């Protein structure tokens, strides 16, 4: 593609990584060239450190998909960060940064020097106050993830947050939708709720997701985490209630009832979040739900939320207006696009001006990049110093 360059987008989840390669042209729609999904073959209940799995998965995708190192943008899980939404009085630009830092110190539940944080101004024409979203993560956590990426042979330029990347993906692909949209991203360890209404955003992480289903299946069948995960993949769907159980399968009946119980708990948390959004953020009731995430495709999940919440529920398509390369398997992409919303949001960060541009780069990488930018000046200064010394020696010799 003439005038384009390639970037790599990486989404690190609790049980998988997604690595995608895009062709980027400034001001134009990115094009998906290649992608791979690596899952962690481990018991997530007993493995406390997933670093080795992350490094191994990234390397394997790059090898099998022939993806070479390049400019990298990455996302981290919404569960790992602390989002806070605050209002500040209208002040001049000279005082704005001071007030935002003060609010960060008051709202982040850790000492400010122990976290990496960023902020985003959120427009709200109906309010004279200025709305600010604060996002923070503990330094040790983000450094651990960026160390994994570097160990795999890559170096990040941007560290985004999964819910914010999904927000950018939605805004680009669904500009025609009015009212309040709720994105429900059901992952492995947590589910992310993102409320989008005009230019406003509100997000919350709920600790009820795919792993909760696996844990309940473990108890029901008295099996290991790995075996329970296999049962979930093979048999899980959201039961319709009553005695309905699927086609003559006792195992499917038991699994589906367990799954329905967990999805019912998730629905209760979603309702509480909606009430909070309406009462504390002056938001509206969602007019629609868009599902995404690895655990969202469990059978009848969309039907469950459509019936319970009395609104339209569908799956978010991140490639609604995003170009896809000719070498991409269309059938495989269609079955996996619920896992690719975050990487599309990252690609948009490099090609277009996005409404949400959070960057949680750890200080050590920021300092490293600053040094690299200044390195040519250091070299030039060194060369100049050498030339001055040579001139003085030449002059001294001539005078002698």
């Amino acid at each position: 593609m003439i005038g384009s360059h390639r970037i790599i987008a990486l989404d690190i989840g609790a049980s998988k990584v997604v690595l995608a390669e895009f062709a980027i042209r400034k001001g134009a729609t990115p094009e998906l060239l290649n992608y791979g999904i690596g899952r962690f073959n481990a018991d997530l209940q007993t493995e406390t450190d997933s670093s080795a799995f992350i490094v191994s998965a990234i390397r394997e995708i790059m090898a099998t998909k022939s993806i070479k190192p390049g400019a990298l943008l990455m996302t981290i899980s919404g569960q790992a960060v602390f989002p806070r939404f605050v209002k500040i009085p209208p002040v001049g630009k000279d005082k704005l940064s001071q007030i935002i830092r003060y609010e960060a110190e008051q709202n982040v539940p850790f000492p400010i020097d122990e976290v990496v944080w960023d902020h985003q101004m959120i427009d709200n024409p109906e309010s004279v106050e200025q709305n600010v979203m604060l996002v923070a993560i503990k330094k040790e956590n983000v450094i651990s993830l960026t160390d994994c990426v570097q160990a795999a042979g890559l170096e990040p330029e941007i560290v985004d947050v999964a819910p914010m990347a999904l927000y950018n993906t939605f805004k680009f692909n669904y500009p025609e939708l009015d009212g309040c949209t709720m994105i429900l991203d059901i992952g492995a360890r947590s589910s992310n709720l993102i409320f989008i209404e005009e230019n406003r955003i509100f997000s919350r992480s709920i600790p009820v997701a795919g792993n909760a289903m696996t844990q309940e299946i473990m108890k029901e069948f008295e099996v290991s985490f790995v075996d329970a995960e296999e049962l979930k993949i093979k048999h899980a769907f959201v039961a319709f209630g009553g005695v309905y159980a699927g086609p003559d399968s006792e195992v499917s009946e038991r699994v589906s009832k367990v799954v329905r119980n967990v999805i019912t708990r998730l629905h209760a948390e979603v309702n509480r979040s909606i009430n909070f959004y309406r009462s504390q953020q002056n938001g509206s009731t969602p007019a629609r739900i868009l599902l995404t995430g690895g655990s969202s495709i469990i059978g009848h999940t969309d039907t469950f939320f459509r019936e319970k919440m009395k609104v339209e529920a569908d799956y978010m398509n991140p490639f609604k207006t995003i170009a896809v390369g000719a070498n991409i398997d269309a059938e495989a992409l269609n079955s996996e696009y619920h896992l690719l919303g975050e990487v599309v949001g990252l690609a948009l960060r490099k090609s277009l001006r996005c409404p949400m541009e959070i960057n949680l780069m750890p200080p050590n990488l920021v300092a490293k990049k600053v040094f690299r930018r200044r390195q040519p000046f250091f070299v030039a200064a060194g060369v100049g110093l050498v030339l001055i010394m040579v001139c003085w020696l030449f002059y001294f010799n001539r005078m002698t």
Side-chain angles (χ1 to χ4, degrees), residues 76-375:
I76 52 181
S77 169
Q79 187 185 29
V81 303
F82 307 97
R84 296 292 185 269
F85 298 85
V86 299
K87 297 179 185 292
I88 61 175
V91 295
K93 291 183 179 180
D94 56 330
K95 294 183 179 180
L96 186 60
S97 60
Q98 296 177 4
I99 293 179
I100 291 174
R101 181 177 177 84
Y102 172 79
E103 290 293 342
E105 291 172 345
Q106 299 303 309
N107 285 277
V108 173
F110 296 100
I112 201 68
D113 58 349
E114 294 181 7
V115 301
V116 179
W117 66 281
D118 198 1
H119 74 278
Q120 179 80 41
M121 304 300 296
I122 302 174
D123 293 334
N124 185 4
E126 298 177 359
S127 175
V128 295
E129 296 178 303
Q130 299 183 78
N131 298 286
V132 182
M133 182 184 69
L134 302 169
V135 182
I137 182 172
K138 294 199 74 174
K139 281 183 184 178
E140 60 193 56
N141 293 340
V142 70
I143 289 174
S144 174
L145 291 173
T146 54
D147 283 350
C148 291
V149 172
Q150 292 181 94
L154 300 170
E155 188 170 309
E157 293 185 359
I158 291 175
V159 180
D160 204 338
V161 183
M164 307 306 117
L166 289 173
Y167 175 86
N168 288 332
T169 298
F170 169 82
K171 294 295 282 186
F172 186 78
N173 283 281
Y174 296 88
E176 76 284 357
L177 293 183
D178 295 323
C180 178
T181 299
M182 186 184 77
I183 297 176
L184 177 54
D185 174 24
I186 310 176
R189 286 182 176 159
S190 64
S191 297
N192 292 313
L193 277 178
I194 306 128
F195 294 91
I196 303 170
E197 191 171 359
E198 297 177 348
N199 293 325
R200 290 193 295 170
I201 178 175
F202 177 77
S203 68
R204 185 191 175 206
S205 183
I206 300 171
V208 181
N211 282 7
M213 302 174 194
T214 306
Q215 292 167 17
E216 294 302 319
I217 293 171
M218 286 173 63
K219 296 176 184 177
E220 175 70 22
F221 290 87
E222 298 181 347
V223 295
S224 68
F225 183 92
V226 174
D227 291 338
E229 189 73 12
E230 289 180 1
L231 283 172
K232 182 179 73 174
I233 293 171
K234 186 176 180 180
H235 297 284
F237 64 90
V238 183
F240 290 116
V243 295
Y244 179 79
D248 302 323
S249 170
E250 180 185 349
V251 174
S252 293
E253 177 180 6
R254 292 168 66 188
V255 170
S256 66
K257 286 183 177 179
V258 167
V259 170
R260 183 180 178 88
N261 290 338
V262 175
I263 290 291
T264 300
R265 281 166 47 199
L266 176 59
H267 172 244
E269 291 294 329
V270 168
N271 274 339
R272 275 194 279 271
S273 298
I274 292 173
N275 291 335
F276 180 85
Y277 173 67
R278 293 184 62 193
S279 62
Q280 301 298 319
Q281 302 295 320
N282 297 320
S284 306
T285 302
R288 67 195 64 83
I289 301 171
L290 292 179
L291 297 168
T292 188
S295 299
S296 67
I297 58 166
I298 288 176
H300 308 312
T301 300
D302 55 338
T303 303
F304 175 90
F305 281 100
R306 188 179 300 118
E307 292 179 351
K308 288 290 183 181
M309 304 192 68
K310 309 301 181 186
V311 296
E312 184 57 33
D314 202 353
Y315 286 88
M316 185 173 78
N317 181 6
F319 297 97
K320 193 166 180 280
T321 56
I322 296 292
V324 177
N327 63 323
I328 300 293
D329 185 333
E331 185 176 347
L333 182 66
N334 190 53
S335 66
E336 294 175 329
Y337 69 67
H338 61 284
L339 300 173
L340 301 175
E342 289 88 349
V343 293
V344 169
L346 289 172
L348 290 168
R349 289 283 300 268
K350 282 300 257 187
S351 58
L352 301 167
R353 177 74 177 176
C354 290
M356 196 62 60
E357 297 193 336
I358 292 292
N359 192 359
L360 297 176
M361 281 279 284
N364 60 321
L365 284 182
V366 173
K368 187 176 180 180
K369 291 183 181 298
V370 169
F371 177 78
R372 282 180 180 172
R373 285 198 298 267
R374 293 177 178 175
Q375 205 166 18

